[in-house]
Amino acid sequence: AQSVTQPDIHITVSEGASLELRCNYSYGATPYLFWYVQSPGQGLQLLLKYFSGDTLVQGIKGFEAEFKRSQSSFNLRKPSVHWSDAAEYFCAVGAARGGADGLTFGKGTHLIIQP
Amino acid sequence: EAQVTQNPRYLITVTGKKLTVTCSQNMNHEYMSWYRQDPGLGLRQIYYSMNVEVTDKGDVPEGYKVSRKEKRNFPLILESPSPNQTSLYFCASSPSGVGTGELFFGEGSRLTVL
């Protein structure tokens, strides 16, 4: 069965500093990987996704993520965070066969931005 | 505007009183799904539907029912709610099987069962 681990429950970063959120997955075949963001009181919004090809993917809001098969990781990065980036971030893995299986989500990382 | 709409957004009810949370999408998506979000547990899938009249259980289906009579609507039914169903519920849709497609989420419905 597929699974996702986000090791950090909370992360605090100063505004303007760089950010890296960790995500490790477990999946027997080629995974489809996603990062979603949930702002307070809102639903989840897709930041970026990896299906195949270039292992460095660019997303919205200046985020990027790198797929590392050898480490089973898909870490999210941003070079300079803004106060509006404070939110909950979820990594998710889906079945590469494109079936009906739901995405498996990590438990989330709560990002706090210090002024 | 493309969106997934859930109602109600907030609901407080009592144990055993049947309730329905509606979900509607205007993107002509075939795939729809319900998730619940609980602190420390992330999002867990309750039910999903690949198309009209096709539904299937997710990871935590106990205590819930769904129906998919029309493509745009996917209501979540709690026949006899219990306090352990107090949660934040999200409906989502996708143009294809979710493994390949992006999930579009509603804004959530916060349910409290007393």
Side-chain angles (χ1 to χ4, degrees):
Chain A
Q2 58 206 47
S3 67
V4 176
T5 301
Q6 294 180 246
D8 304 303
I9 298 173
H10 301 278
I11 280 193
T12 300
V13 177
S14 298
E15 191 169 14
S18 63
L19 170 71
E20 182 169 30
L21 301 182
R22 296 182 290 165
C23 172
N24 293 98
Y25 69 89
S26 173
Y27 189 68
T30 302
Y32 285 5
L33 295 161
F34 307 80
W35 274 99
Y36 282 84
V37 60
Q38 183 182 25
S39 298
Q42 302 294 314
L44 280 73
Q45 180 185 21
L46 181 70
L47 280 176
L48 47 79
K49 59 188 177 186
Y50 171 78
F51 287 171
S52 64
D54 192 348
T55 56
L56 184 64
V57 294
Q58 303 297 321
I60 62 171
K61 305 185 181 189
F63 285 91
E64 67 178 27
E66 186 171 12
F67 170 59
K68 293 185 177 180
R69 185 186 298 275
S70 61
Q71 298 177 21
S72 298
S73 69
F74 189 57
N75 294 348
L76 182 71
R77 301 194 294 249
K78 186 170 185 178
S80 176
V81 298
H82 185 262
W83 64 266
S84 60
D85 293 324
E88 191 85 16
Y89 291 80
F90 293 94
C91 182
V93 61
R97 65 183 180 275
D101 297 2
L103 292 183
T104 297
F105 286 86
K107 294 181 179 179
T109 297
H110 184 61
L111 176 63
I112 301 165
I113 307 296
Q114 282 184 336
Chain B
E1 179 188 356
Q3 59 186 3
V4 178
T5 304
Q6 299 178 224
N7 280 295
R9 294 287 313 280
Y10 302 91
L11 178 63
I12 300 174
T13 189
V14 296
T15 299
K17 186 176 181 181
K18 179 180 178 180
L19 68 92
T20 299
V21 186
T22 65
C23 174
S24 180
Q25 51 94 2
N26 62 0
M27 296 169 281
N28 202 37
H29 286 170
E30 294 185 350
Y31 182 97
M32 297 186 74
S33 181
W34 277 102
Y35 288 84
R36 60 177 289 173
Q37 183 180 17
D38 302 289
L41 296 178
L43 281 89
R44 294 177 293 168
Q45 190 182 48
I46 304 171
Y47 269 95
Y48 62 91
S49 169
M50 288 293 286
N51 214 325
V52 175
E53 301 294 358
V54 180
T55 64
D56 209 342
K57 296 177 181 179
D59 298 319
V60 288
E62 295 79 19
Y64 304 95
K65 287 175 56 178
V66 293
S67 69
R68 188 90 181 274
K69 295 186 173 62
E70 306 166 281
K71 197 171 189 178
R72 63 183 293 126
N73 295 324
F74 190 45
L76 179 70
I77 303 156
L78 286 72
E79 293 271 3
S80 182
S82 62
N84 65 12
Q85 292 179 297
T86 293
S87 187
L88 179 59
Y89 291 88
F90 288 101
C91 180
S93 71
S94 175
S96 62
V98 73
T100 54
E102 172 183 352
L103 277 175
F104 293 81
F105 283 83
E107 292 188 321
S109 296
R110 185 168 294 281
L111 170 64
T112 301
V113 183
L114 302 176

